[in-house]
Every structure is written in C-alpha cells, then in structure tokens.
C-alpha cells in the first residue's frame, strides 16, 4: 500500500537517490593545505591527492596515509658521547625536516619520525666522537654541518629533506669543567706574562734606541763644535800671521811705532796670562805701573839704535827731492 501518497516505486527512487548522494560524497575528498593523502586501490598505492577538492572511486579507492608536507621539528633527547680524547659529554639537539615525496615517505620507511630520530642520534655520536673535546666545544657549526650532510644523504631515499640539525647543549662533567677553567686561567696568566715581558722588551729597545740617537746627536754636535773651533783657530792663526806679517813689514821699513806696538802687545798679553792663571793666588808686581811705560819706551830706543843710521838715511832720502843732474854751475 502507498505510504502517505508515495508508491513503492517512489520509495525506491528516493532510496536510490540517497544512495547515489552517499556514494558521491564518499568519493569526494577534501585535502587541507599543507597535507598530501595517498590513495590505495585494493591495498596498492595508486596516486597522491594534493590540497583541495579531489575525487576517488568509492569502495574501490581509499586513503592510505595522511602526510604533513610542512617543515617539522624533532627534539633529539640527551645522550652521552665519548670524544676522541676519552672525555664524556652529554649532548642534545633538534632536527628540522620536510616531506617532499608523500608516497616514498609513506611506503619506503616504517615509522618516519622514529627513523629520523635514531639516524640523527647515531650520527651525533659518530661525528662528535671523532673530535677532541676542545674542538668539540669550539666548532659547533662544523659539527652541525657534518651531521646534517650525513643524515640528509641517508634520509633522501625516504622522500624527505633534512633542512637543519642544531646541537643545543654540550655539557661536560663538572670536574672536567673545573679543570678547563683552571687551564684557561693558567693560559690567560701565561699570555699576560708574555705580553708584560714583551712590553718590557719593547720599552728597553726603545730606550736603547733613544740613548743611541742621543749619543749620535751628541757626537754630531761635538764634531760640529770641533769643526767650528778648528775653523775659528784657523781664522785666528791667519789673522795673527797677517798681523805679524804686517808688523814685520813695518819693522823692515824702519817704523819704530810698529815695533813699540808689537812689543807692548806681547808684554801686556803675557802679563794678562800671569794675572788670570788658575793657580795664581797672589800677584806680586816687581815694578810700578809707570815703570811699564818706561820699559816700553826703553825698548823703543833700543830698536832705534838697532836700526842705526840706515833707518835715518832712508827717512832723509825720502824727504830730499830729486832735482836732476847738476852741470857744475854752468848754464
């Protein structure tokens, strides 16, 4: 019988329409941004759905894996590492990765994050264990680069890209930290002592250079002074020689005044040297001052007698004019 005016055929059509609608919605898949879905048909991978509205065959195709395609971070737990010089340190870090191929990430490895985590921890021990403690603490960037290169190459078949690996903390034991602190203090004191010694050395060198330059300049000054003194003595000797020559010429010409001047000058100089002598305490004059003039006058008279009649004849001849030859009074 019809139900509320609907026949059996109408009910069939309505049911069929509802079924079609359900089947349609079962085949419509909406993938959010940043994700990829893998589609399996009868258990076998068929395709990958990109973000947006997608259609699949209902009851034949199904969603296999929902993979996050955004960059993700894994926290690497702390682990103990023995360095090449047998020092034990504790290190932890973080790993950043991104899925590039959803199909390989879903079907090439089981437990993707666990695989990446174990691969990272293993290579941290391998890389850090091949280094000395000093290099380990001072070359963190080099450690990160080596681990990243190895882990990225190992994870490439899984369809993922390891974008970054960072070592967060490297913690040596407390006694080792104290020993390193003492070593650093000793090293700094050593450098301070070296710098202080170097400063003293430079100071002594500069001081010696200054003294050397001072001695050179002093020697240059003495040489210049000696040169000037020698030149002055040479000029004085030349003047003395010229004066003596002039006096000698005057004496040869019979100039009595020149003889008086020459003798008196030498006599006064000798008397001056006697009076200004450093060892002279008391000066006893054997004559009065007027006697000195008398002595000079006497010396002049002696010179006159020495020249004699030749000087007089010379002066007389110079005063008598030449009147020419005489003719005995004949004109």
């Amino acid at each position: 019988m019809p139900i509320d005016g609907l026949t059996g055929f109408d009910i069939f059509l309505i049911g069929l329409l509802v079924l079609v609608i359900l089947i349609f919605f079962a085949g419509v898949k909406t993938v959010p941004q940043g994700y990829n879905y893998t589609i399996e048909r009868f258990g076998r991978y068929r395709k990958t759905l990109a973000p947006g509205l997608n259609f699949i065959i209902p009851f034949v195709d199904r969603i296999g894996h929902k993979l996050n395609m955004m960059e993700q971070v894994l926290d690497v737990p702390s682990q103990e590492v023995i360095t090449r010089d047998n020092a034990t340190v504790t290190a932890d870090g973080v790993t950043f990765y991104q899925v590039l191929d959803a199909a390989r990430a879903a079907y090439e490895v089981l437990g993707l994050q666990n695989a990446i985590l174990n691969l990272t921890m293993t290579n941290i021990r391998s890389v850090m264990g091949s280094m000395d403690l000093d290099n380990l603490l001072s070359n963190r960037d080099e450690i990160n680069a080596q681990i990243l290169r190895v882990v990225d190459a190992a994870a490439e078949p899984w369809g993922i890209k390891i974008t970054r690996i960072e070592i967060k903390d490297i913690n040596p034991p407390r006694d080792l930290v104290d020993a390193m602190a003492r070593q650093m203090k000793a090293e700094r004191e050593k450098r301070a002592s070296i710098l202080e010694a170097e400063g003293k050395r430079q100071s002594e060198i500069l001081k010696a250079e200054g003294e050397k330059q001072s001695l050179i300049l002093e020697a240059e000054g003495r040489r210049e002074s000696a040169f000037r003194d020698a030149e002055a003595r040479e000029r004085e000797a030349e003047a003395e020689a010229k004066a003596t020559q002039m006096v000698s010429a005057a004496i040869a010409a019979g100039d009595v005044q020149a003889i008086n001047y020459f003798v008196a000058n030498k006599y006064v100089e000798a008397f001056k040297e006697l009076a200004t002598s450093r060892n002279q305490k008391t000066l006893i004059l054997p004559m009065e001052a007027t006697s000195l003039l008398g002595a000079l006058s006497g010396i002049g008279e002696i010179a006159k007698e020495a020249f004699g009649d030749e000087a007089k004849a010379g002066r007389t001849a110079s005063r008598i004019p030449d009147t020419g030859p005489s003719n005995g009074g004949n004109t």
Side-chain angles (χ1 to χ4, degrees):
M1 292 183 63
I3 301 175
D4 296 334
L6 297 176
T7 63
F9 182 73
D10 294 334
I11 295 174
F12 173 75
L13 291 177
I14 293 173
L16 181 61
L17 180 60
V18 171
L19 180 60
V20 170
I21 293 173
L22 291 176
I23 292 174
F24 175 78
F25 279 104
V28 175
K29 299 297 179 182
T30 302
V31 180
Q33 184 67 37
Y35 284 83
N36 279 173
Y37 291 174
T38 61
I39 299 301
E40 299 175 355
R41 178 172 294 176
F42 302 114
R44 183 179 180 180
Y45 169 75
R46 181 176 176 271
K47 65 177 181 178
T48 300
L49 300 183
L53 186 63
N54 296 273
F55 296 94
I56 63 174
I57 300 176
F59 310 113
V60 177
D61 296 337
R62 69 181 185 88
I63 297 175
H65 295 83
K66 299 179 179 181
L67 296 173
N68 188 343
M69 305 299 290
M70 296 179 288
E71 188 172 5
Q72 303 174 68
V73 58
L74 283 176
D75 190 12
V76 180
S78 299
Q79 58 178 332
E80 290 188 350
V81 178
I82 300 177
T83 62
R84 187 170 59 181
D85 52 354
N86 296 324
T88 302
V89 298
T90 302
D92 60 357
V94 289
T95 300
F96 296 84
Y97 73 96
Q98 185 176 14
V99 177
L100 301 180
D101 190 334
R104 288 195 294 170
Y107 301 109
E108 294 293 336
V109 61
L110 181 62
L112 178 62
Q113 289 190 349
N114 186 53
I116 295 174
L117 187 62
N118 282 278
L119 184 62
T120 303
M121 294 177 64
T122 301
N123 283 278
I124 286 176
R125 288 194 299 268
S126 176
V127 172
M128 296 178 65
S130 64
M131 303 177 68
D132 294 331
L133 180 60
D134 292 339
N135 293 330
L136 190 67
L137 297 176
S138 59
N139 297 325
R140 188 170 299 189
D141 291 340
E142 181 181 348
I143 297 172
N144 295 336
Q146 291 185 19
I147 297 174
L148 175 61
R149 185 169 57 252
V150 174
V151 175
D152 184 49
E156 193 275 334
W158 302 340
I160 63 174
K161 173 67 176 177
I162 307 298
T163 58
R164 193 174 186 87
I165 294 179
E166 293 286 344
I167 301 298
K168 293 193 296 184
D169 293 317
I170 300 176
N171 299 317
R174 184 61 189 177
D175 56 346
L176 187 57
V177 173
D178 294 339
M180 292 173 62
R182 292 193 299 270
Q183 180 183 0
M184 182 182 63
K185 181 179 179 181
E187 186 67 24
R188 291 183 181 275
E189 291 177 351
K190 174 184 175 182
R191 288 202 297 266
S193 299
I194 292 175
L195 290 176
E196 183 178 359
E198 186 67 22
K200 290 182 179 179
R201 175 175 173 270
Q202 291 294 333
S203 176
E204 293 296 332
I205 291 175
L206 293 176
K207 183 178 179 182
E209 287 290 338
E211 292 178 352
K212 175 183 175 182
Q213 292 296 328
S214 176
L215 292 175
I216 291 174
L217 292 176
E218 184 178 355
E220 289 287 342
R222 289 197 302 270
R223 186 181 71 174
E224 185 69 19
S225 177
F227 177 78
R228 298 296 183 185
D229 291 342
E231 187 176 8
R233 288 194 299 270
E234 181 181 357
R235 296 293 183 269
E236 184 178 359
E238 291 178 356
E240 184 70 21
K242 187 174 182 180
T244 303
Q245 183 179 4
M246 294 176 64
V247 171
S248 298
I251 293 173
D255 192 349
V256 179
Q257 297 298 328
I259 299 175
N260 292 338
Y261 170 76
F262 183 76
V263 174
N265 188 35
K266 293 299 182 180
Y267 189 85
V268 171
E269 288 180 0
F271 191 74
K272 178 182 177 182
E273 292 293 332
L274 180 62
T276 58
S277 176
R278 180 177 300 176
N279 297 326
Q280 184 66 37
K281 301 299 182 181
T282 303
L283 181 63
I284 301 175
L285 299 177
M287 62 191 71
E288 296 180 356
T290 55
S291 299
L292 177 60
L293 298 177
L296 295 177
S297 178
I299 293 173
E301 293 297 330
I302 294 173
K304 288 180 181 181
E305 294 178 359
F307 284 106
D309 295 335
E310 292 181 1
K312 291 180 181 181
R315 287 195 299 272
T316 303
S318 63
R319 288 196 300 269
I320 298 175
D322 187 8
T323 58
S326 176
N327 55 10
N330 294 322
T331 57

